[in-house]
Amino acid sequence: MEAFTSLASGLAVAIQPMNMLFALIGVLLGTAVGVLPGIGPALTVALLLPITFKLDPAGSIIMFAGIYYGGMYGGSTTAILINTPGESASMATALEGNLMAKSGRGGPALATSAIGSFVAGTIATLGLTLLSPYLVDIAVSFGPEDYFALMVVAFVTVSATFGDSPVRGLTSLFIGLTLGLVGIDILSGQSRLSFGIPELYDNIEVTTLAVGLFAVGEALYVASRRHVHEEKLEAVRGSLWMTKDDWKRSWKPWLRGTAFGFPIGALPAGGAEIPTFLSYSTEKRLTKHPEEFGRGAIEGVAGPEAANNAAAAGTLVPLLTLGLPTSATAAMLLAGFQQYGLNPGPLLFAERPDLVWGLIASLFIANGMLLVLNLPLVGLWVRLLAIPQPWLYAGILVFATMGTIAANPSPVELVMLGVFGVLGFLMRRFDFPIAPVVVGLILGPIAESQLRRALSISLGDPMVLLQSPISATLLVIALFALVAPFVLKGMGRFKAVED
């Protein structure tokens, strides 16, 4: 009951005219970048970080969350109409959605996607409302050693699950952790890895790193590739609305998709890709129309899209209650909090309940906005695909440079932006995941601080990490998460050799 009281007070914040405007801008931007393949909400939030640092924190973070939700909605449009998912989480939607569009049922595919996203997003946000206070109560009892162990779990799971190779993920993480060491050491007052450059004494700005890796790196990568073939855009023929049979076949997949997406999205190693494919395989197994799978089955769109949006709300659970980002966009949201001097976690619920509950309440409003905007404006979203890529990415480069200069008017900052841009390009070129670098830079200093606190309290005894049941359990989970991908890969190779 206390959660609903807090939600009501948050609703009073969310319905303020300026916050409503921020939510609307967020969902519009999010849908637009979700439609455009290769852009995505993480890049968009990274671009906006430098130009929003002087705005109201509540409004900016509400806008960032709207971009996240909108990106999940928008990714399904290109998945259905041109078989090119705007977001990796929309890959499962493309399997049946594009076949429906080719057979003249693109309208119902877009409708079940939008309505399923609304249903799943609303239920999952309600889950976030109810679950958050309990996790906060648990997190309050954490000591410094428990927090350090929790950070280790975050490091390992993010590194092991982003990208195809755990080794590449860990390499990306260590780049981020190394960058996190740059600056003045708080305890000793000594400068570390600053090479006598005064601008580096205040640590590396998360915004500069994020804009360089996501925006500049992506622009350089796109410029380096040649188009092998042009994607054919399927026109939306017939009615946009669903028939009675479509509704009957969609409502159960929506609920099942939500049941997959929210809990898996809330896990440190969850993400949205796993629940979407789980949902697709489940619907394929349970359907009463198996002959339609592979030709355009509406269940194969309804379930994965619901799972996708439920997972987006799920990722906000560990982010808001524990300060752990479990996706690239969640890492950028964490950077958004930190640029205002706010650290997500149990203390944020106590210090800034208006901001946290205002954000959660705004997610309900954003969901409603997205449902109203997506179907009637589908023609507008599709027209965005006509923007020539050179114009689009040239604009991104100009925006990234101007935003960075506005936030930090320094030649050193501009040079770092270029260096991080080249690093982002090389990491994409050689298939290294980007998100662990940002996570390492943000969480690395926090993990170091908690470890040093734990060792100071225990007079330098490292066994303190194993004496607490919570930290010992978390470290065992981290070890399992680190070893498991290598074991599974080895078993796969052994089986292949045996065959």
Side-chain angles (χ1 to χ4, degrees):
M1 196 64 196
E2 188 183 335
F4 289 108
T5 307
S6 301
L7 184 64
S9 65
L11 194 60
V13 174
I15 60 173
Q16 291 174 11
M18 279 307 295
N19 289 340
M20 291 280 281
L21 179 62
F22 276 121
L24 180 61
I25 293 169
V27 297
L28 284 170
L29 272 175
T31 305
V33 299
V35 166
L36 293 166
I39 306 257
L43 188 155
T44 310
V45 174
L47 275 175
L48 291 173
L49 283 175
I51 62 170
T52 56
F53 71 105
K54 286 190 176 177
L55 296 178
D56 173 54
S60 297
I61 291 165
I62 283 170
M63 180 173 68
F64 293 155
I67 290 170
Y68 189 17
Y69 267 37
M72 296 296 108
Y73 270 74
S76 63
T77 303
T78 41
I80 290 167
L81 297 181
I82 63 170
N83 201 27
T84 304
E87 277 286 297
S88 59
S90 297
M91 288 188 292
T93 305
L95 296 174
E96 299 297 324
N98 188 245
L99 293 170
M100 285 184 71
K102 284 178 178 175
S103 63
R105 283 177 44 78
L110 289 167
T112 194
S113 166
I115 298 166
S117 296
F118 171 75
V119 170
T122 303
I123 294 172
T125 307
L126 189 61
L128 169 65
T129 304
L130 296 172
L131 192 58
S132 294
Y134 292 105
L135 278 178
V136 166
D137 289 342
I138 294 168
V140 166
S141 64
F142 277 23
E145 65 279 3
D146 303 323
Y147 264 114
F148 172 72
L150 189 65
M151 298 296 166
V152 172
V153 171
F155 291 148
V156 173
T157 52
V158 166
S159 305
T161 55
F162 277 99
D164 298 325
S165 164
V167 174
R168 288 194 180 112
L170 288 167
T171 305
S172 296
L173 173 69
F174 280 110
I175 292 172
L177 291 173
T178 304
L179 293 173
L181 293 173
V182 175
I184 300 285
D185 177 21
I186 296 170
L187 286 184
S188 67
Q190 296 293 314
S191 65
R192 302 187 297 192
L193 302 177
S194 55
F195 306 105
I197 301 170
E199 284 84 355
L200 294 180
Y201 291 161
D202 288 333
N203 309 321
I204 289 174
E205 289 287 339
V206 177
T207 52
T208 306
L209 177 75
V211 173
L213 289 179
F214 284 101
V216 180
E218 179 68 22
L220 294 175
Y221 180 62
V222 169
S224 72
R225 289 185 301 171
R226 294 169 185 265
H227 292 293
V228 180
H229 63 279
E230 290 293 323
E231 295 288 354
K232 184 174 181 289
L233 178 65
E234 294 292 338
V236 181
R237 302 191 292 273
S239 170
L240 268 177
W241 203 236
M242 295 160 62
T243 64
K244 187 178 178 181
D245 186 53
D246 289 335
W247 281 92
K248 191 177 175 183
R249 290 173 60 180
S250 293
W251 73 271
K252 286 181 182 176
W254 291 337
L255 296 179
R256 283 193 289 261
T258 306
F260 281 123
F262 181 69
I264 294 176
L267 293 173
E273 290 81 3
I274 296 169
T276 53
F277 280 103
L278 268 177
S279 174
Y280 178 79
S281 59
T282 302
E283 297 311 324
K284 192 174 182 179
R285 195 169 63 250
L286 296 178
T287 184
K288 294 178 181 176
H289 306 273
E291 72 285 352
E292 289 191 22
F293 270 82
R295 296 181 188 174
I298 196 166
E299 296 94 336
V301 179
E305 267 308 294
N308 177 10
N309 282 266
T315 58
L316 294 177
V317 175
L319 177 67
L320 293 176
T321 58
L322 303 171
L324 296 183
T326 58
S327 70
T329 311
M332 297 320 307
L333 288 173
L334 179 59
F337 275 102
Q338 290 201 332
Q339 78 170 353
Y340 296 109
L342 302 168
N343 287 307
L347 286 179
L348 191 64
F349 277 79
E351 294 169 357
R352 293 295 305 272
D354 58 321
L355 190 149
V356 178
W357 289 105
L359 170 63
I360 293 172
S362 76
L363 296 175
F364 288 102
I365 296 169
N367 247 325
M369 288 179 174
L370 283 163
L371 182 65
V372 172
L373 290 171
N374 263 264
L375 283 175
L377 298 180
V378 68
L380 173 65
W381 305 127
V382 169
R383 277 194 202 129
L384 289 174
L385 296 168
I387 299 173
Q389 274 200 331
W391 296 8
L392 186 66
Y393 284 95
I396 286 172
L397 281 175
V398 171
F399 202 74
T401 308
M402 297 303 290
T404 303
I405 290 172
N408 301 290
S410 157
V412 173
E413 212 70 37
L414 206 54
V415 170
M416 283 199 293
L417 179 70
V419 170
F420 292 144
V422 172
L423 176 64
F425 162 70
L426 292 173
M427 290 180 76
R428 281 174 173 79
R429 174 68 182 78
F430 296 103
D431 201 25
F432 282 80
I434 303 291
V437 182
V438 181
V439 171
L441 177 67
I442 295 172
L443 295 186
I446 299 172
E448 180 192 12
S449 169
Q450 296 294 350
L451 176 62
R452 289 167 93 163
R453 278 183 62 205
L455 291 174
S456 297
I457 293 167
S458 67
L459 302 177
D461 182 10
M463 292 305 292
V464 69
L465 298 174
L466 300 177
Q467 287 166 2
S468 163
I470 297 173
S471 65
T473 304
L474 289 171
L475 288 173
V476 169
I477 292 169
L479 181 64
F480 177 77
L482 179 64
V483 172
F486 294 100
V487 172
L488 292 171
K489 209 168 188 179
M491 287 171 65
R493 283 180 182 169
F494 179 73
K495 191 176 180 183
V497 170
E498 211 174 40
D499 291 343

